[in-house]
Each structure stands twice: as structure tokens, then as C-alpha cells.
Amino acid sequence: MISKRSFCHIFIIAWHLFVCQIAGTAGPYFDSIWPVEHGDPARHQFINKAGLNLNLNLTLTILTRGSYDLPVFPFTRKTNELYLIGGTPSVTIAQGWIAKLDPDSLQTQVITFLTNGSLTWSPSAVIHSNGFIYAVSSHYIYKLDSNLNIVNCKLLPGDPEGESNLLILNDGRLIAKGGHRVLGTRSSLVVLDPSDLSVLEEVILPELSRGRMSLYTFTNLECAYCIGETTVWRYAYDPVNCLTFDSNWSFNYMDKLPDSSYGNAPTFIGSNLYMMNNSDPLNFAANDPIYVFRINLSDASNYDRFQPFPGITNGFSLSKMAADPTNNIIFPMDSRNGFLGALRYTGGIPVFETLWIKQFKATGIFAGSIMDNEFYINHYDGFNDWFVVLDEFMGSEKARIRTPSLKATYGALIMGFNKTAYYAGGGYICKIFPVQRTNNDLTDPHGFNPLAGPNPYKSNGPFYFTGITQGTKIRIYTITGALITSLVEEDNDGVIIWDVRNSSGKDLASGVYLCHIKSSSGQSKLMKIMVIR
């Protein structure tokens, strides 16, 4: 005899499978290459689809459009449908917005403002297998059609402070989470019916939680993972009982880290959760280094804590940690100090194998292609924001192209259809795609247009020379003409990273210095830089 409860459970699952079959997809998201603004799984993991697939005969070109007010996340529905979401922090009452763009020309076709509430950060959006777009802006949830007409809008329960994020559960229901840091407010998870946006359940988290949640299914159990001020918590989900707090699994990542800030949304490979600390922009002065945590999903006491950038303190991670689940690689970054690396968990000695580490100031949200083993990320050199393609195994640079942004941006990279990538940030949306190299590209892929910065130099981090060609030599002199040190661009990535030390390894004192930059073809430029200690 089947109980009434079990029958309801079976009916709900069967109905979801039927709806997904009609929609033409086997999962809860729309059958697109990127139907979500960096929610799971795309927020953290490489996609198992073709990327730009660069080789020695190809280089990058770029098409840009602006200007947008805080453009953050692009996402796609069909080959002829590109969407972009962002906020309007420059107005008195900040509002979220969603724009529909032509994916070829990047011309704006429609823009819809999400006017309810007051936005503190960009909205969160997903495209459901039913074809509708759902967005959370401030503490409201919207249901929109493909032309961005608002079909429905509901007020979410809980406190309006903070950002919210939105994902889709395996059965097609929506799950939203508010991000809160203010004492007296509450952080909660809310499960919603996608048909009418009715609230099916709200659960209050054990502590304040600003970071975004992640969904992951392990041993046939779907769970929502939330990072609080001190601890990682999880809630098991099923269509009948909705969310159930797992009192047998939690991890206090702040233990023995007295000067860290909260961690960001975790990512997953196999039976392990991975996360980093120090992701709180409201506590930018945390003095602890960046740590990578590995936590077993069956037993939270089975964990490892690893410092990916030895000797580097005052770590800060502006973005989430990338992961390639097929090749068991994670990519930690330190946005403040300008480091990026690739690690592989071994479970032996050493616990993590370091594949590569490079000085690289990445501030945006990345993307990656498992099929092409390419890692797409931004690089801010002190003057310009670049779109960069790295080999995920070696960390070597395959190509880069300058974007219009003159500042480090917290935008997102996504893969589009037909070997294209889209990058939002700095008031622009960019389309990047490969083209055949010319003879000039083959000998001089980056071009000689030297830039140096940050200038004046006021920190303990690296100093960048960009816009240079392979073989370029840089000689740095005192203002009286005494040679301090010499540098050479040897790896053809168009960049030299300098530690602002002389040839003996001593820090340069405050003052004005001369830089003579000369390419291998004889082009030269003289620049002044100022060091302020």
C-alpha cells in the first residue's frame, strides 16, 4: 500500500519529468549554453562544451557596446537571445535592470527596470526549462517572458537588507537566498513555485550569511550549501519535505583564523566541497592569508586547509573559485595581491599539487571550457582591463585583448554560441571571438604600446609593464642616470611584472625613476614612474 505522502512525492517527480520533456531539456534550466548568471553549475565550474579553441593561427578580436550602469552578468537563452543584468547605483534609489541584446551586434533591443525595492547589488537571474526568466532584485522576485515583459512579481519574505541570489532545484522549483550582514536582520532560504511565485517554505539560517549559496547533488541527495559568518551549513531538499537542516554536517572554517573575513560560495568536485576565506568587501582589511579548504561531503571532520600562495598575507578574494571537475583542478585567486594559481587535490603528500602560480590581478568572474582546456579570465594591469585566455594545465597565456574599461571590474565572463565569449564590466558589454592571424599578428601579437602602473606606486604589490612585445628590454634608472635593474619580456604574453626592487633585491626607496623601454625591433619609449613608500 502506497501512503498518501509517498504518492504525492511520486506524482511531483513524474510531473516535473513530463514538463522538462515538453520543454526540450532534461534538467531544470533552459537548454542553453549559459542559462544562468553564474549560478550553479556555471558560476564555479568549467562547462563541458567548446570554447574559443585558440591555436597559433588564431588571435582575438573584440566588439564593444556601452554605456551601461553597472553591467555585471550576461546570460543566454537561444542562439539569437543574449541578456545582460545589472544595477543603477548612481541614482537616488538604486534599481536593477535586465536588457535583451542582439548577440551579434550587441545592440540593446529591450531593457526592463526592476523598480521595486532598493538595490544594493546586481540582480540574480535564471532561465527556467519552462522558458521564463526569473530574477531576484532587492527582496522581490520577478517572472518575465523572453521579451522581458513582467508576468508576475512578488515580495520575498525576510529582511530587505542585502543582495539575493536565485537558483533552480532539480524538480524545477526556485530557491532564493538573501545576503545579510547587519545585526538584527535574518538570512533565509526560500523555496518558490515557478508557476505563481508562491512561497512553499522559508527557513532561517543559523547565522548571518552574505555569500551566495550553492546547490549540489551527492549520493542522490540534493543540498543547498550556505556559508555563514563562521560556518558552512547545508540543507537537504526533497519535493515533499522541502528543506531539512542537516545537523550532522557543518564546518567551522573560521576556527584558528582570528583575522579573516567570511568565505564565498563553495564549489564541488566529486565527494568534496572547496571554498576560500576572505571574500568580504566590507572587511577588506582582514590580515590572514587566503586559504583553500577541502571538506568531505560525507564527513565534515575530514578536511584540509591549504595556503595556495605561501608567504602572502592580507589576502582577499573578490571572485569565487573556479573548478574543472573533469580534471580535478581548482583555481584560487588573491585579488588584492594579484595572484592566480591552479591546484589538484591528491589526498596524499602533498595534499595539493600546485600546477602553476602566476602574478595576475584578476577581479572578474571567470569561465572555462573542459573540451578546449582553456581558462577565460580578466586581468587588470593598472591601466586597462584585459580579456585573457590561459592554458588551464600550464597557466601559459594563449591570447589577450584589451577591453574599453580603464578600471578593474567585477563583471562576468561567459561562453556564447559559435566560439564566442561575452564579458560585462566597466560600463560595457564585450563580445570576443577568434579570427585568423595576419602576418603582423604572427610576429607581433600584442603590439608595442607600452604602459606602466600603478603609477604612482604606493603599495607592496607588483608593478606591471604591458603593451610590449617579446624581447622588449626595460632598463630602470635613478633620476641622475644610475642603472637600478634590467627586465626582459621573454614569454610573449605582452607583460612584465616587476617587484619594484633593484638588481640586489632591495625595495626601491621613495622617489622618481626613469624607465627606458625598447622593443626588439628598435621602437623605444621613456617613462617616469614615482614610488611612494
Side-chain angles (χ1 to χ4, degrees):
M1 175 70 78
I2 300 177
S3 67
K4 183 178 180 180
R5 185 183 184 93
S6 297
F7 176 79
C8 291
H9 191 175
I10 294 170
F11 177 78
I12 290 170
I13 295 174
W15 173 252
H16 170 65
L17 292 174
F18 172 71
V19 170
C20 287
Q21 187 176 20
I22 292 176
T25 176
Y29 292 93
F30 195 83
D31 190 13
S32 169
I33 194 169
W34 213 286
V36 54
E37 52 81 18
H38 282 74
D40 288 344
R43 183 192 297 136
H44 313 290
Q45 298 194 347
F46 282 29
I47 58 173
N48 196 17
K49 296 180 181 179
L52 298 180
N53 192 22
L54 293 177
N55 57 51
L56 292 177
N57 296 317
L58 297 175
T59 187
L60 295 175
T61 191
I62 188 169
L63 173 68
T64 65
R65 294 285 180 186
S67 94
Y68 295 93
D69 202 350
L70 189 65
V72 181
F73 298 115
F75 55 105
T76 59
R77 185 173 179 270
K78 294 182 178 180
T79 55
N80 62 342
E81 293 177 331
L82 172 68
Y83 298 90
L84 177 66
I85 65 173
T88 55
S90 60
V91 300
T92 303
I93 300 178
Q95 299 172 350
W97 53 265
I98 303 182
K100 184 178 182 180
L101 313 178
D102 180 280
D104 295 321
S105 68
L106 300 184
Q107 293 281 5
T108 301
Q109 298 174 337
V110 181
I111 186 165
T112 296
F113 288 92
L114 310 176
T115 57
N116 292 315
S118 179
L119 187 72
T120 57
W121 179 235
S122 169
S124 180
V126 295
I127 307 181
H128 199 281
S129 59
N130 62 19
F132 286 99
I133 298 169
Y134 296 87
V136 169
S137 181
S138 184
H139 53 300
Y140 286 84
I141 183 167
Y142 297 80
K143 180 179 182 179
L144 306 97
D145 64 21
S146 61
N147 290 317
L148 300 185
N149 297 302
I150 297 176
V151 178
N152 199 357
C153 175
K154 292 284 183 72
L155 176 67
L156 291 169
D159 294 295
E161 189 279 327
E163 65 182 83
S164 294
N165 75 290
L166 182 67
L167 298 173
I168 308 177
L169 294 156
N170 286 338
D171 68 355
R173 289 174 173 173
L174 307 172
I175 182 168
K177 175 189 175 294
H180 303 89
R181 280 294 313 276
V182 177
L183 292 175
T185 61
R186 72 183 192 267
S187 303
S188 62
L189 295 176
V190 181
V191 178
L192 302 113
D193 187 321
S195 61
D196 60 3
L197 302 184
S198 59
V199 174
L200 302 176
E201 184 177 24
E202 180 194 15
V203 297
I204 309 301
L205 300 182
E207 61 182 355
L208 294 178
S209 173
R210 185 177 179 86
R212 294 191 167 198
M213 67 177 160
S214 294
L215 296 179
Y216 189 64
T217 300
F218 176 64
T219 61
N220 297 318
L221 181 66
E222 184 177 21
C223 290
Y225 291 81
C226 301
I227 295 184
E229 293 284 275
T230 64
T231 304
V232 186
W233 314 93
R234 77 178 178 191
Y235 289 80
Y237 173 79
D238 71 74
V240 174
N241 300 305
C242 273
L243 296 170
T244 303
F245 178 68
D246 188 346
S247 59
N248 296 317
W249 191 97
S250 64
F251 179 76
N252 185 346
Y253 66 91
M254 293 291 279
D255 184 38
K256 298 178 183 178
L257 292 178
D259 200 3
S260 286
S261 67
Y262 78 79
N264 219 318
T267 189
F268 306 87
I269 298 179
S271 60
N272 294 311
L273 175 153
Y274 295 90
M275 60 167 285
M276 294 185 296
N277 62 324
N278 285 5
S279 295
D280 185 358
L282 300 182
N283 186 16
F284 192 74
N287 289 316
D288 278 331
I290 287 285
Y291 285 100
V292 169
F293 296 87
R294 179 206 63 87
I295 312 163
N296 185 269
L297 296 176
S298 298
D299 178 9
S301 65
N302 177 358
Y303 75 93
D304 293 293
R305 188 179 74 182
F306 180 77
Q307 187 176 349
F309 312 118
I312 304 299
T313 58
N314 298 91
F316 174 72
S317 172
L318 188 60
S319 186
K320 289 81 177 170
M321 183 164 56
D324 177 350
T326 299
N327 293 299
N328 193 27
I329 302 174
I330 56 175
F331 301 86
M333 66 174 67
D334 184 337
S335 305
R336 170 189 283 153
N337 297 299
F339 283 92
L340 177 68
L343 307 175
R344 179 181 279 126
Y345 174 68
T346 67
I349 300 176
V351 175
F352 284 96
E353 173 192 6
T354 299
L355 302 182
W356 51 266
I357 293 176
K358 62 191 307 176
Q359 287 189 293
F360 198 92
K361 191 174 182 64
T363 58
I365 303 177
F366 43 76
S369 167
I370 294 173
M371 290 179 64
D372 296 332
N373 302 123
E374 291 177 340
F375 186 26
Y376 313 107
I377 197 163
N378 83 308
H379 173 228
Y380 181 65
D381 63 10
F383 294 95
N384 296 96
D385 201 34
W386 297 74
F387 174 92
V388 182
V389 183
L390 301 176
D391 180 284
E392 69 161 312
F393 299 124
M394 305 296 294
S396 54
E397 190 167 309
K398 300 179 72 172
R400 69 166 49 212
I401 193 164
R402 185 182 295 145
T403 76
S405 180
L406 301 178
K407 58 185 178 181
T409 58
Y410 188 59
L413 299 166
I414 70 164
M415 300 311 301
F417 297 94
N418 303 319
K419 291 188 177 182
T420 58
Y422 296 96
Y423 177 40
Y428 298 89
I429 175 72
C430 305
K431 176 184 177 181
I432 299 105
F433 52 97
V435 293
Q436 198 74 22
R437 287 189 187 273
T438 64
N439 290 334
N440 184 59
D441 289 327
L442 289 170
T443 57
D444 193 8
H446 298 289
F448 186 77
N449 182 26
L451 297 170
N455 192 11
Y457 176 84
K458 300 180 181 180
S459 68
N460 293 319
F463 187 92
Y464 296 92
F465 294 95
T466 64
I468 56 181
T469 56
Q470 187 175 26
T472 293
K473 295 180 180 180
I474 300 176
R475 289 182 172 86
I476 300 169
Y477 300 87
T478 66
I479 200 70
T480 59
L483 180 64
I484 293 172
T485 191
S486 298
L487 309 167
V488 181
E489 204 292 271
E490 297 178 323
D491 56 6
N492 199 26
D493 65 356
V495 179
I496 290 179
I497 301 174
W498 179 40
D499 58 6
V500 197
R501 294 175 179 174
N502 63 21
S503 56
S504 299
K506 295 182 179 180
D507 291 337
L508 260 64
S510 296
V512 176
Y513 298 88
L514 300 176
C515 300
H516 183 251
I517 306 172
K518 186 175 182 180
S519 72
S520 58
S521 61
Q523 296 169 287
S524 65
K525 185 173 183 179
L526 186 65
M527 306 175 68
K528 287 183 180 180
I529 62 171
M530 179 179 289
V531 175
I532 302 175
R533 295 290 188 184

